[in-house]
Amino acid sequence: MSAAVLSGLAGANLALAGGVLAVMALRGPVRRRFGALPAYLLWLTPPLCALAALAPTPIEATPLAPILITAGKAARAAVPPVLATSTVAQLVLALWALGALVAATAFLVRQVRFTRSLGSLRPHPADPRLLIGQHVGAGPMVLASPWPRIVAPADFDARFQGEARDLVLAHERVHLARGDAQINALVVALQCLCWFNPLVHLGAHRLRLDQEMACDEAVLARHPEARRLYAETLLDTLLAPRVVPFGCHWPAGGAHPLKERLIMLNIPTRSPARRATGLALAALVGLAGAGAVWAAEARPAPVITKPNWIAKPTAQDMARFYPATAVAAKAEGFAVIDCRVTAAGQLTACKVLRESADAHGFGAAALQVAPLFQMSPQTIDGKPVNGGQVTIPIRFSVPQT
């Protein structure tokens, strides 16, 4: 089971990284031509690609006859348990879980520190939906405290008056209406699960930039005559000391993103037809990306049902990779692996389809045994094996001492 989880985790992260790279390439051109909202919606592509990588494939190769190998006395030659594949897989999973826990803790600590830096939050006398902090300068912003609310600085009434006040609050209300704070919380959860993937963290930062520009676009669509005032007001709300994980505000990231944001404010509102085209394009990119990943996973390959084996694992090989915990428990088990076959008849890209429902790690052991199989370049009925797919059930019998 550990090997199957690791295989799925690796595949999902590769698909996620590919989706992030695709969005990074498309977001600028899409935003300039169709608007900020389609560029923001492009960020649905990476998670869709990851889900497609985890989706079951509809094509399964025909299994061969189960391979039953008794290890016998060769169990004495088994490698130390610490080097067993199942143990390594469990250690890697434990490391991944520890990293996810550390990342989640870091985000929570950052959120708590940021919230405390605002001081006591109290409802605004004229608008109970608006919370006023004891800090000055940064904001207003949407903050989860504990649910998403608009939080403004202590000097909010003095800094923002009249139409400027209405514009800046309209921006934050767009965040609330679209559920952007909840989206950012899901992104943080994804960052925790994929803490080792730098593209996920880069994509999370870019998503927040596109999120803010999409809100700008929505506000200016309702107040097209207030572009200049909105831009001037915007500059007075950006200086937040840190990025808050659970909330919405402009993330600090250098002058270039800010310059790009200000340029977008001067672009006239797109026509409804162009906006609709952009939204359709964003949806198409997401579906096409997920479909491409799923097709790559599910692409049919010639099923090899009559292999001509020229090498198989020996009893000594099975003993070397027999799970140490299973040996101690005198437990038998099985695993079913699915592999592609190279032109030379070697097995590659193997993954565990299913294994015994225990914690002994027979799937990981089967993956370790897989390279020891060798086919002839042609099957018994004369067909080439290159690019073929084979499913091999392997049954492990308790070594006899």
Side-chain angles (χ1 to χ4, degrees), residues 150-163:
I150 300 176
V151 177
D155 57 349
F156 176 70
D157 289 332
R159 288 169 53 203
F160 303 100
Q161 298 178 355
E163 189 177 7

Side-chain angles (χ1 to χ4, degrees), residues 15-343:
L16 196 63
V20 170
L21 289 175
V23 174
M24 293 284 290
L26 293 173
R27 57 190 283 270
V30 169
R31 183 172 60 249
R32 288 188 291 271
R33 186 158 185 84
F34 299 104
L37 182 57
Y40 177 39
L41 293 180
L42 282 175
W43 288 107
L44 288 172
T45 302
L48 287 176
C49 290
L51 290 175
L54 295 173
T57 59
I59 297 174
E60 184 173 315
T62 303
L64 301 178
I67 297 175
L68 177 63
I69 301 180
T70 303
K73 297 182 179 180
R76 300 171 184 173
V79 296
V82 70
L83 299 180
T85 304
S86 58
T87 303
V88 173
Q90 292 171 2
L91 288 175
V92 173
L93 277 180
L95 177 62
W96 166 72
L98 177 62
L101 180 61
V102 170
T105 302
F107 279 119
L108 289 174
V109 169
R110 189 189 306 174
Q111 180 77 10
V112 170
R113 288 180 176 176
F114 185 90
T115 304
R116 287 180 177 175
S117 71
L118 305 180
S120 177
L121 301 177
R122 55 183 175 79
H124 191 280
D127 186 358
R129 297 173 301 174
L130 177 64
L131 298 181
I132 301 296
Q134 296 178 337
H135 67 293
V136 295
M141 67 187 74
V142 171
L143 180 71
S145 60
W147 58 87
R149 303 279 295 275
I150 300 176
V151 177
D155 57 349
F156 176 70
D157 289 332
R159 288 169 53 203
F160 303 100
Q161 298 178 355
E163 189 177 7
R165 173 192 176 96
D166 294 338
L167 289 173
V168 73
L169 289 179
H171 178 98
E172 304 306 328
R173 286 172 183 144
V174 171
H175 279 309
L176 290 177
R178 290 180 173 175
D180 286 339
Q182 291 87 338
I183 291 174
N184 290 341
L186 292 176
V187 171
V188 167
L190 194 59
Q191 288 180 269
C192 293
L193 294 175
C194 305
W195 56 268
F196 54 88
N197 191 335
L199 286 174
V200 172
H201 302 291
L202 178 63
H205 178 77
R206 295 294 191 273
L207 178 145
R208 291 209 174 201
L209 299 180
D210 291 334
Q211 185 181 86
E212 293 297 324
M213 286 187 273
C215 282
D216 293 341
E217 183 180 71
V219 173
L220 291 178
R222 301 171 188 171
H223 307 277
E225 74 289 344
R227 291 183 182 275
R228 182 178 180 85
L229 177 60
Y230 185 80
E232 294 172 352
T233 305
L234 184 69
L235 291 174
D236 201 25
T237 67
L238 297 180
L239 300 179
R242 294 178 299 275
V243 176
V244 55
F246 305 104
C248 305
H249 70 87
W250 180 258
H256 178 70
L258 178 58
K259 180 180 178 181
E260 190 175 16
R261 184 180 185 185
L262 294 175
I263 291 175
M264 288 296 299
L265 297 180
N266 293 320
I267 297 178
T269 303
R270 278 77 175 177
S271 66
R274 179 171 289 194
R275 289 201 302 270
T277 301
L279 295 177
L281 177 63
L284 180 62
V285 169
L287 293 175
V293 171
W294 185 82
E297 291 287 327
R299 184 174 62 248
V303 177
I304 300 174
T305 58
K306 296 181 179 181
N308 183 15
W309 294 110
I310 59 177
K312 294 181 182 180
T314 64
Q316 290 79 5
D317 296 326
M318 296 298 291
R320 280 196 300 136
F321 300 117
Y322 206 96
T325 56
V327 172
K330 299 185 182 301
E332 296 184 350
F334 75 94
V336 181
I337 59 174
D338 180 85
C339 305
R340 292 295 176 91
V341 185
T342 67

